[in-house]
Structures are given as C-alpha cells and as structure tokens.
Amino acid sequence: MDTNGVLDLLWILIAGILVFFMQAGFTLVETGFTRGKNAGNIIMKNIMDFCIGSLGFWAIGYTIMYGDTIGSFVGSPSLFFSDSENMHNLFFQTVFAATAATIVSGAIAERTKFTTYLIFSMIMTVFIYPISGHWVWQGEGWLTNLGFIDFAGSTVVHSVGGWASLVAAYLVGPRIGKYTNGKSNAIQGHNLLIGALGVFILWFGWFGFNGGSQLAISGDNANAVAGIIITTNLAAAAAAISAMFVSWGLYKKPDISMTLNGALAGLVAITAGCAAVSPMGAAIIGVLAGALVVFSIEFIDKKLKVDDPVGAVSVHGVCGAFGTLLVGVFAVDGGLFYGGGFHLLGVQATGVIAIGTWAMTTAFVVLFTLKKVIGLRVSKEEEIDGLDIHEHKANVYND
Amino acid sequence: MDTNGVLDLLWILIAGILVFFMQAGFTLVETGFTRGKNAGNIIMKNIMDFCIGSLGFWAIGYTIMYGDTIGSFVGSPSLFFSDSENMHNLFFQTVFAATAATIVSGAIAERTKFTTYLIFSMIMTVFIYPISGHWVWQGEGWLTNLGFIDFAGSTVVHSVGGWASLVAAYLVGPRIGKYTNGKSNAIQGHNLLIGALGVFILWFGWFGFNGGSQLAISGDNANAVAGIIITTNLAAAAAAISAMFVSWGLYKKPDISMTLNGALAGLVAITAGCAAVSPMGAAIIGVLAGALVVFSIEFIDKKLKVDDPVGAVSVHGVCGAFGTLLVGVFAVDGGLFYGGGFHLLGVQATGVIAIGTWAMTTAFVVLFTLKKVIGLRVSKEEEIDGLDIHEHKANVYND
Amino acid sequence: MDTNGVLDLLWILIAGILVFFMQAGFTLVETGFTRGKNAGNIIMKNIMDFCIGSLGFWAIGYTIMYGDTIGSFVGSPSLFFSDSENMHNLFFQTVFAATAATIVSGAIAERTKFTTYLIFSMIMTVFIYPISGHWVWQGEGWLTNLGFIDFAGSTVVHSVGGWASLVAAYLVGPRIGKYTNGKSNAIQGHNLLIGALGVFILWFGWFGFNGGSQLAISGDNANAVAGIIITTNLAAAAAAISAMFVSWGLYKKPDISMTLNGALAGLVAITAGCAAVSPMGAAIIGVLAGALVVFSIEFIDKKLKVDDPVGAVSVHGVCGAFGTLLVGVFAVDGGLFYGGGFHLLGVQATGVIAIGTWAMTTAFVVLFTLKKVIGLRVSKEEEIDGLDIHEHKANVYND
Amino acid sequence: MKKIEAIIRKSKFDEVKEALHLIEVNFFSYWDVTGVGNEKQGHVYRGVSYSTSDIQRRFLSIVVSDPFLDRTMDVLLKTAYTGVVGDGKIFVSDIEETYRIRTKEKGSDALK
Amino acid sequence: MKKIEAIIRKSKFDEVKEALHLIEVNFFSYWDVTGVGNEKQGHVYRGVSYSTSDIQRRFLSIVVSDPFLDRTMDVLLKTAYTGVVGDGKIFVSDIEETYRIRTKEKGSDALK
Amino acid sequence: MKKIEAIIRKSKFDEVKEALHLIEVNFFSYWDVTGVGNEKQGHVYRGVSYSTSDIQRRFLSIVVSDPFLDRTMDVLLKTAYTGVVGDGKIFVSDIEETYRIRTKEKGSDALK
Ligand SMILES: Nc1ncnc2c1ncn2[C@@H]1O[C@H](COP(=O)(O)OP(=O)(O)O)[C@@H](O)[C@H]1O
Ligand SMILES: Nc1ncnc2c1ncn2[C@@H]1O[C@H](COP(=O)(O)OP(=O)(O)O)[C@@H](O)[C@H]1O
Ligand SMILES: Nc1ncnc2c1ncn2[C@@H]1O[C@H](COP(=O)(O)OP(=O)(O)O)[C@@H](O)[C@H]1O
C-alpha cells in the first residue's frame, strides 16, 4: 500500500478504536443516570449489543449497507465479510453500527426484558441501521443521489437510534412510579459522577467518530480533519454552556444532568455538518442544540409522557434531526445563510423525515411483534426489586 | 527517518500508549471484583508494578529480553538502555512487561503482603518475563527457531502472568472464609460497574496490544494491522457471548462477572493468533475460549480449591495456553484445519509447556523463598479488617 | 499537504485528543480527593472550564498567545480564529489552555462560588495564560529570546495553574473544619479509587501532552518523540516510587494519596525537560519531584496553612517550577551537570520567577476584585450541607 | 408515646410511605439494613450458586403518640403485605420522652 | 440506663460531637438515615422540579447511665439547634441492661 | 420479648452470625454504623496523621422471645470477644409487641 493509503488506514483504525471506547461512555452514562439496582442489567445490555453488533455486522450487516446497491435501497448481502483489503472499513463501520444500537438501551432501561433486548439489538444492527445507512453512505443510495448531507451520522446513526428509542420507550411504557396522577416524578440517577465520566469518554471518542468519517487524512484531507475536530469541539462546548444557562434560567440553578446532556446534544447535532460548517457555524449549532435538548427532554417527559431515563430520544433523535436540518442553514457551501437558498434545507428535511419514518416504522413492527411473542417488560416484582437480582441473580454493589 | 519508518514508529507509540492504559483497566477489574476494604491496596499494587516495571525494564529487563542472544536462551544484559533510535521499542516492550507482572496482583488480591508483592513484581519484570520472552520474540530464541507462533503474547505475556498467578495464589492460600467445610463460598466483588469499565478499557487497550505487535504499519503491514484489529474484536465479542450463554445454561441466568471474564478470555486467546487466523477462525477461537473460561474458573475454584478472586489464572493462564494451541489448528498457514497437519500444533504445545514450566518453576522458587524470608501473607487480623487500614492506614471510601 | 505535513498534523491531533481526555482525569482526581457532597459542583466546574476555555481560546485567546508579537510581550489579538490551515494548532493549544485553567478548580474545591469560578476561569484562559504563554512559545517572546526552555509547559501551563491556585486557595480561605486551634485536620477524599483512575487517565493523556509538544513527528522528530515518551514515563514511575517511599518513611506506611500525587508530580516536573534530558536524567528528576511533592504538600498545609484539597499547588506549582529549574541542571545540551555551567540555570530561574510573578499577581488582582464585587465563597450553611444541594439542587449519589 | 420499628421490603416502601401520608403520619426516619430471616434469595457469582438469607430491607423508625399507634399499625400491616415469605416484622416499644430540637417542645406536642 | 436517639442535621454533627466530648460523653454510635418531616428541600432533576421531605440526617444512638441523661440532653438540644425547620428530634427510652463485650462488665459500669 | 442491640467489630460478624445460627437465632437485622468509643485507629491522609475513635462497626438488632434471651447473650458475649479495646457493647431493652407482617401473628409466635 502506498504511503497515503497507509496514512488513511491508520487514521481510520485509530478513529475506530476511539469510537469503540464510546461504548464504555454509553455504559457509564446509562448506569449513572439510572438506579443502582439495575446497573448490572445495563452493563450486560451494553456489552451484549456491542458483541452482537460486531458479529452481526461482520456476518451480514456490512454488506447490506455497503454491498452493491439494489435499486439505491439496499446493498447485496453476502455472508461473513472477508475482504482483507477492507478490514479497516469493516471495523470502522462496525463500531458505528454498534453506536446506533446501543442508544436504545438507555431509553428503555430499568424495565425491559433482557432477551427481548438482545433480539431487538440484533435486528437493529443487521437490518434497520444498515438499510437506511445504505441510502446515505454507500455512494449510490437514493438520499445520496438527492444530495443529502450527513457527514458522520447525526441522522444515519444517532437519529436512527433516537427514533427507535422513542418507539421502544413508548411501547415498553414508563417505569413504575414515573408518572403518578398524570404528574411526572423524578427518578434520580444513582451516580452522576459515573455519568459525567461517561460524557467525557463519549466526547473523547467523538473526535474519532467525526474526524474518522473523513475516511482519509492524507493530502488535503488533513486540514479537513483538523477542521472537523474543531467544529466538533466548539459545538459540544457551546452546547454544554447553553444547556447550563437555559437550565439555570428555568430551574434557578445550573443543572448537572442537563449540562451533561447538553454536551452530548452539541456533539450529536454537529455530527452531520462537522465538515460543512465554519467554526462559528458550529458554535451556533451548539448553542441551539444545547437549548433545544433541555426543552425537548421536558417535552418528551411531561407532555408526551414517554419515560426516557437518560434522554436518548432528545439527545440522539431530536438533536440528530435538528443538526441535520441545520446543515441546510449553515453549510458554507449551499446553506441558507450562505446564499444557497432553500434547496439544501429541503433535501435535508427529506432525509430526516425518510429515515425517521423508516426507523420508527421498523422499530415499531419489530417491537410490537416481540411484545406479542415474548413480551417487552419484566414483571412488576422484578422491576421493583431491581433487574439485577432477578435477571442476573447478582448485585453490582457489595461490601 | 524515512516516511515508512516514521509511520511504523508512530503506530508503535500509539499502540504502546493504548497498552499503557490497560494498567487502568487491570486496576479497575481487580478492585471491582474484590472487596472495598482492600481497594487501596490493589490500587497501590497496580500502580507500583507498573512503576517498578518501567524502571526495571529500562534498567536491565529490556536487554535481557532483546540483547544479543546467549545460546538462544537469554539476551546479553546491559544497564540503562539508552539507544535513542529504539526508544519506541523500549516503550512498547515496557508496557508489555508491566502487563505480565500486573496479572498476578489480581490472583493474590486481598491477602498478600505489600512488600512481598513489590519484590516479586520486580523479579517478574526483570527476570522471569524477559527470559521466556527472549525465547520467542528476540528473533534467535530457541522457540523462534522451532517455529513457535505467539504473535502478541497469549503465552509470552498472558500465560506467564497466569501461571505465575496460579503458583502465587496456591502458595498464598485462599482468603479467609473462601472455603468452609470443603465448600467454596462466593466472596462478592464490591463494584461490578467499575469492573465492567475496566473490561472496556482493557478491550480498548488490546487493540494496541495486538495491533501494535505487528511493529509496523507501513506498506503491506497496513492491511495486516487492520486484519488484526478485526480478529481481535471478533474473538472478544464471540467469547463474551459464548461465556454468557454457557453461564446462562449453567446457572439459569446470564452471569455478569462471567460475561466480563468471557470478553477478556477471548482477547487473551486471540492474542497468539490474531495475525495468523481468519475472521471466522477468530470468532471460533472466541466461542471456545468464552466457554472454556467459565469451566476453568469453576474447576480452579471448586476442584483445585485455588482462590483466584478475579479469575486471572483462567483468563490469562488457561485461555492464553489454549489460544496459543489453537494457532496450530486455525492458522491459515500451517494450521491443522487448513491442511498443515499436526506439526505446528506440536510446536505450539512445546512452547506452551516450556514457557508454562518456566513461569511456574521460577515463580515457585521466588515465592517460596519469599515465604520463608519475609512471609507472603498479612496477619489474620489485617486480612479481616481489610488491608487498607493496616497496610496503608487509610480508607478508600469516605463520606 | 505533503506526507510529512500530514504525519505531523496527525500526531498533533492525536496528541490533542489525548490531552483533551486529561480533563476527565482532572475531574476524577478532584472529585475523588474531596467529599461526596460537593462532587456535582466539581464536575460542573471541570466541564465548564473546558467549555469556556474552548470558546474563549478560539474567540481570542489563541491570537493573544500566538499572534504577531507586540514587543515580545503579547500577541496581536484578532477575533474568532478561522485559519483553516491551522485548525490542528488551535485544537492542540486549546486543550493546553484548558489544562492550565482546570488546575485551579481542585485547589479551591468545596467552598468556592460557582459563578465566581466561571468568571475567573474565563479570564485565566483568555488573558493570564496566553500572555505568559506568548513569552515562551510564540517564538519571539522575551523569554524565548533569553533561551528559556520549557518544552511542554511545566511552567507555561502547570506552574501558571499552580501559582494561580495558591493565590486562589489563599484568598478563598480554608474549608470549614480544616484548621482547628492552629492544627491541620484531615478531610478525607470520598473515593480514592476514582482518584486513582483519574491519575491513570492523566498519565495516559500526558503522553500526548509531552509527546505532542514536539509539534511534529516526521523525519528526525520521530525518535525525538519516542525519547519524550520514555522520559515522561520514567519520571512518572520514579516519582511515584519515590513519593511512596518518602511517605512510608514519614508515616510508617506507604500512603495512597501521596503516591498518586507523586506520579503526577513526576509528570509535571519532566514536562519542561522531557526533550532535553536523558532517560537517566528523567529518572532522577522523577525521584526528586516525588520526594519534593510530599514535603511541599505538608509545608503548604501545615506551615502556610493554605488549604489545597488535591495538592494542586504542590503538584503543579512547586513541581512545575522545580522541573523547569532542573532543566538547567540536567539538560544534555547546556545543563550544569553536562558542563554547561550556570547560564541555563539562571535563565530557567528567570523564567520561573517571571511567570510565577505574573500568574500570582494577575490571579490576585482578578480574585481580589471578584471577592469585593460578588464574593469568592459560598455561605457557611451551603458549605456545610454541601455545594451540590445548594448550588445545583441535586445529589450526585442516590439509590 | 410508642416507637414503631418496621422492617419491610424495599419494594414496598413507596406504597407504605404514601399510605402513612394519608393517615397523616408524616414524621419518621428510615434507612437500609440487611435482614436475616426465613426468606432466601438465589445468587450466582463466578460459578458459585448460593442461596442467602441476607436480604436488603428498609428499616422504618416511627415514633407516634398513643392515639396514632393503632392506625399506624393497621396501615403498616396492610400496605407492607405481599403474603410471600419475607414481608418483614414490626416491633413496638415504649418511648419515655420526645423532644423537638427546634422548639424544645416535649411529649406528644413534639410529634405533631 | 437510658437510650437517647437523636436525629439531627448532618451539618450539625461535628459541633454536637465536640460538645458531647466536653461533657465526657465519649461513647456512642451513629449512622446516616433519611428523615421525613416538616422540612422540605428543593430538587431539580432532568427538568422535574420537586420538593422532597426525604432529607439526609444523622442518627445518634447514645446509651447513658441515669446521672448523665440530663446534661447529655442539654448539650444535644443546644448544639443541634439552628431554629430553622428540620433541626430534628430526640427520643429517650429505657435500657434494661448493658454489657461491655470485652470485659463482661454490666450496667452502668459498662458505660464508663 | 426483648430487643438485643449489639454493636460489634465488623471482622467478628461472620463468626457471630454462624454462632447465632447454631442456637437457632435465625432472625435479625444488621447495618453498618460508626462507633465512637475507647478504641482509636491511626490514619494518615495527605501528610496529616491522626488518630480517630470513629470506627466502622456493625449494629445487630435482634428481637428474641424471653426464653431465648440468655443463650443469645451468651453467644454474643463469647463470639464477639477478642479482648482488645473496641469489642463493642450490647444493650437489652423491652419490646411491647411484635408482628409478622405476612401472617399477622403477634407476640412470640411472630418470632418463631
Ligand atoms: N427477630 C428479629 N429481629 C430483628 N429483625 C427481624 C427479626 N425477625 C425478622 N426480622 C427482619 O424481618 C425480615 C423478614 O423476615 P422473614 O423471616 O424473612 O420473613 P417473614 O417475616 O415473612 O417470615 C428479616 O429479613 C429481618 O430483617
Ligand atoms: N416521629 C418521628 N419518628 C422518627 N423520626 C422523626 C420523627 N419526627 C421527626 N423525625 C426525624 O426528625 C427530622 C426532622 O424533623 P422535621 O419535622 O423536618 O423538623 P422539625 O423537628 O424542626 O419540625 C426528620 O427528618 C426525621 O428524620
Ligand atoms: N454508650 C454507648 N452508646 C452507643 N454505642 C456505644 C456506646 N458505648 C460504646 N458504643 C459502641 O461500641 C463500640 C466499641 O466501644 P469501645 O469503647 O471502643 O470499646 P470497649 O467497649 O471494648 O471499651 C463503639 O465504637 C460504639 O460503636
């Protein structure tokens, strides 16, 4: 391989390793934001979705996503990908697929059956995610053909996970005690420090997520990657600050969990446009996403009454969609604010809606079927005692 | 230095940094799987073995391992390695040596004297590990000459640590209360979430461990490294799944700590063959190792009655040996299943046995001497109250 | 961009990402070493100083530091840095600036007003740090002209943070209960395991901090970077061992928190000279810094009676200055022990004093003003109950 | 005045608290304890399956003036009940004196 | 012998302990409990603001011989006091017998 | 019925539990407390050496019917003993009534 090829491959591998580490971040955020009696169950779900995703994406998911297109809709599947020239791509795409899958575990935490989750997670990585991914990233998908821009996956990865989360959290129903007499109650996370560490790890990994999505670093790609790192960082920082001030205004005090979610909201929102917007654009996207996520969490919790313990729907679904739309506004090349008119915005909206519909519909069909066949939810007794002791006969915390 | 040289050096450094981080992973796994009253002691042991290893390997260990061979058995030692062209190699090998040493601390946790451990750890990094390492990795060692394949150290690093652990745990004896009336009791780890984070960190670092062992990334090495990353990941994922299902079968519930150990078992087992087997081979090795580790932990605990709180012997010793043997079966080039006959398998067995014997014998001699001279074990009172308050006059957890 | 340029940029980005992760390390060390009732507040301070630093350094700080020099004293500021060829530099320098700022939060933990901290942190990143940074790293600063060596920032980053911490901790005053009848009391950290994880993360990130400061890896830089990694690691290891033995001598037992601080002391001390000293020199610097930090912590606590919960002044201020001075002794090229005479040592002392004076004076003026205007300290009641419940209406730990 | 010490299932706590609230027993303290009793819980850890009678429980300490005793007991016995082994115990003992620190009130005044 | 159970603000604990020390009450046990009472504390979590009366308190269990009762009560009532709702309660009850495990001493001897 | 409150060394707990089991005292509750007493423990933290009498202990609350009292006390006094300062205390007090929530049994029936 020539030097440029090596450089590109090296960068993809490193970025992929960073993205892998995001799994630890998700695990920590999800356990930290929920109760200690279910921590073991969340650990298991997070490890397993990555393991299932790794095997499943290699076994078939990768080619469903990147195989030769069948009608710009789906790739031609082949079993057990083994092209030794493209192992770095398999790796990078595997960790992306696992990210989409793992988002859901947070939204349905503390009440969902373990087996049901395993099955859903597999379908997510080998079917739901790769098909809509094909539309945007394979090169000949129908959304690519329209000119849809989702550089690193605000929509392809995060919104897919987020919208599936919405459907899943809705179908599973709220945790016992979450809503009483139509009022939303707070069910505090058991360890916000662990949650905060999770956010730092996610942020750390996100440099690989967005930077690696350039899929190259040689030649002109180098400055592009550096620019992506900056836009990613600025959006996250701006969003955390913005979420903090909004929460400060609303609740009279700077709220810890909202600030943490704010950082993630900024990261999700910039993911689509990290290569298309200027640093200033990134900062503005961050400010907007940080504010939005606070209101969205309140809305989903109090108005929709969908119980999402970690805010996955708002962070990944809402801010993912929002960030994708904002590309149509802030893209230096073609964005509304840069004189590009409404065309790109329209295309972005088409993609957001199409993929959102896909994710929600398929998630609904799969989960509804699972509900009928094996059930989504643990028994009331198991839920109250905690999933760890019933589903795993173990306690995470001991002397 | 030319570009290829720079690329290779860069990759080795990055991989080495990742492997360094595995020290944090070991610390977390070991503290998480043991009781809170000994957490400070485990922290100290893990930090110190790395510090001692860093100084010791630089001072003399590196040249014992990589110096000009003396009879294919040991390198010519020289003091304070200072070849400014090979600092990246010193670094990469240092973090490997520290890995071998740190494995032992888990197996003898919660009852071993701190000073004794420090001395043993030093001997491990400057004597036991580098000598057997010389046989395989210096280039002219007698096992290299035989054709023994241990790419990244299933045997050279992990088994050495694992077999030394077996001897150490045996000589130190079980923790008070571990066996009563011939029955093995569970002594629960105090924080499985911290343990799970440790496993994620180890997995993350392992990409450097195996990928970096190519010792190059330029030219054709690039695809080789990518392939290693994939085999590593697939084996770990398959092993975690396999351990989970086996534990599910045995105990009627998917077991958290076994699943975590399963992932590590897969990582250890693929370490020898990560560059020699196909993705499918890796997945199979993972499945086998994940199952094996569960039975091995039970066997060592219940039949051998050797008390190994974190499963170090099974994960590193047993699965390290097993993974090394399986190279003889699954190596695309020369493996039994690929028509290579039994030759390679025989060579692999020779290496596994030779190095196992070396590690056990030397560990026994050293520890037995230490036992006579300064003792291996803290007093009963110290053990019951916890090592932290007696050995360090401190508690890890406070208000 | 040519291959060498890409290599350099790639290394700077990776190093910067590692340095970013140090923010997580600081957060964990600071929360681990303080009480649980203030953990949320520390999380917020650590996240916010990074966010503010990211925006502030981009908005103006970077050009104050690196803009064309005005009298070798300050750069010509310009707003919202947007040179797309230098985004990697902006990123790398941003994470450095945030490091200097975040150091202070530990020293004044558990009693400082949140708003006051936010304002101070902003001034730190856009004014105090970039100006003294300009003197040394812009290329035409007056200390550069003198020949002052501070390779990766023992003084430029760490001492600035450390001396500002000293002033801040002095002005804020000790925590309630820290000194009674002139005696210093121990206020135990609530989770040393989290603190230890923080130290591992910092050590991990420090390879990027020092190694990345070469600002290149192509050609001859490659071996230089590798050498830096080794000196960094040896100094940290030697310092941890040294601090452990010193504490063992003083308190009859190897002290956990001192050992952890020892590792950090070694890292800070080697930061100035990591590229200028030999491995042996690095080890000696480590041994000295590890011993120094123990005495310094005692001195500041018991003699100066300045309450610094995490030892930030000793680790970053004292050891930063000390390490910078030792460059004058151990620099292979020009150091006292290498026949270079006292010249370099004198220059180093000049830099240490000049920057120390600058940091202390400006921090004093800013904090004194803030004290008069909005106050530095929370109310007695808030402090006793914990900052989390009053400043954020939340508890970090729940069921 | 009586002290009621109720050792109940953690999972029943919210219900019990709610019910106490309805009869205006709004003052009490609680903490988590490990209970040893008839109930057994199955655990598995690293290959060792065992059944333990050390189970997490919630301990409620409620001091009530005499007229409140009966209704508090009724509520506790009713709402903490599941019928399955392990519902817990209630112990009643005598309290000689009660003070409210803030007002220095004594006796049943301090319990209002 | 009497058992004094004092449920106080965590923030007052150091002061109380100091004051007990001065009157030579150097034997007691304490732990953290959640108290339900008049005091309310404002919390916000993920957009839900609520006010809870479940507040962290410290529970002190002090067994004293009869002559020590009054002064201990005085000290507790004085030093645990802030005047703001939530200062806590003190309950006094009877102890029939006390043993010191180490010496097998009984009664008030065991309390010296 | 009597309530036995034993404050013992954590390190003695397993032994005590075992011994109670042998005399068929299989019902009790326990939790961890901090004890203040004669024993001192040396600590060092960041250069400050100090000796504290705040030591971790285990608190056992055992309600027994009268015939069980003596043998329980015997076992506790024997197995919790080391002879070194800090072995702990045992307090006995009266319980007026006991209920088993599951069966509504009262009195000593509830303690079987
Ligand atoms: N005599 C006792 N003294 C103190 N606590 C007790 C006593 N008996 C029972 N308990 C507590 O009550 C809990 C439930 O009792 P258990 O025997 O398991 O169920 P049940 O009362 O339904 O038979 C125990 O776990 C323990 O905490
Ligand atoms: N009847 C009671 N039984 C047990 N604990 C009580 C009782 N009344 C009050 N407490 C404890 O005392 C604490 C303080 O009481 P609270 O009513 O908030 O304040 P105040 O006594 O100043 O009116 C409560 O949080 C609770 O822990
Ligand atoms: N009067 C008391 N009230 C409550 N707890 C007590 C009392 N006296 C002792 N204790 C508990 O007993 C423990 C052991 O007592 P200590 O005085 O240290 O040892 P010893 O009883 O051997 O002299 C203390 O730490 C404390 O928890």
Side-chain angles (χ1 to χ4, degrees), chain C residues 186 188-189 251 257 261 302 310, chain F residues 43-50:
Chain C
Q188 301 242 7
Y251 321 124
S257 71
N261 270 160
K302 295 184 186 163
V310 305
Chain F
H43 280 256
V44 191
Y45 183 69
R46 305 186 66 63
V48 182
S49 303
Y50 61 102

Side-chain angles (χ1 to χ4, degrees), chain B residues 158-209:
Chain B
H158 293 281
S159 264
V160 164
W163 298 134
S165 294
L166 178 62
V167 170
Y170 170 76
L171 283 175
V172 176
R175 289 167 292 172
I176 294 170
K178 176 64 196 171
Y179 299 102
T180 42
N181 312 323
K183 226 180 93 295
S184 170
N185 301 309
I187 301 182
Q188 300 243 7
H190 85 288
N191 192 334
L192 295 188
L193 177 55
I194 284 292
L197 175 58
V199 170
F200 275 117
I201 290 177
L202 286 169
W203 194 327
F204 174 65
W206 226 290
F207 292 122
F209 199 94

Side-chain angles (χ1 to χ4, degrees), chain B residues 58 81-82 84 87, chain C residues 149-152 154 210 214 223-236 266-286 288 322-338 344 348:
Chain B
W58 159 65
F81 186 78
S82 61
S84 65
M87 285 296 156
Chain C
I149 299 179
D150 184 9
F151 186 75
S154 285
N210 287 359
Q214 181 80 12
N223 284 327
V225 170
I228 290 168
I229 301 290
I230 283 294
T231 52
T232 301
N233 193 52
L234 285 176
L267 289 163
V268 169
I270 197 61
T271 294
C274 57
V277 305
S278 68
M280 182 59 83
I284 297 171
I285 290 175
L288 297 175
F322 183 65
T324 309
L325 292 175
L326 288 185
V327 175
V329 177
F330 291 102
V332 174
D333 185 5
L336 181 62
F337 282 9
Y338 292 81
L344 182 54
Q348 296 298 98

Side-chain angles (χ1 to χ4, degrees), chain D residues 7 35 38-39 57 86-89, chain F residues 27 29 61 63 100 102:
Chain D
I7 302 160
N38 284 316
E39 192 185 358
R57 307 253 171 240
D87 280 349
K89 297 266 165 54
Chain F
F27 301 87
S29 304
S61 167
V63 177
R100 167 173 278 136
R102 175 168 50 96

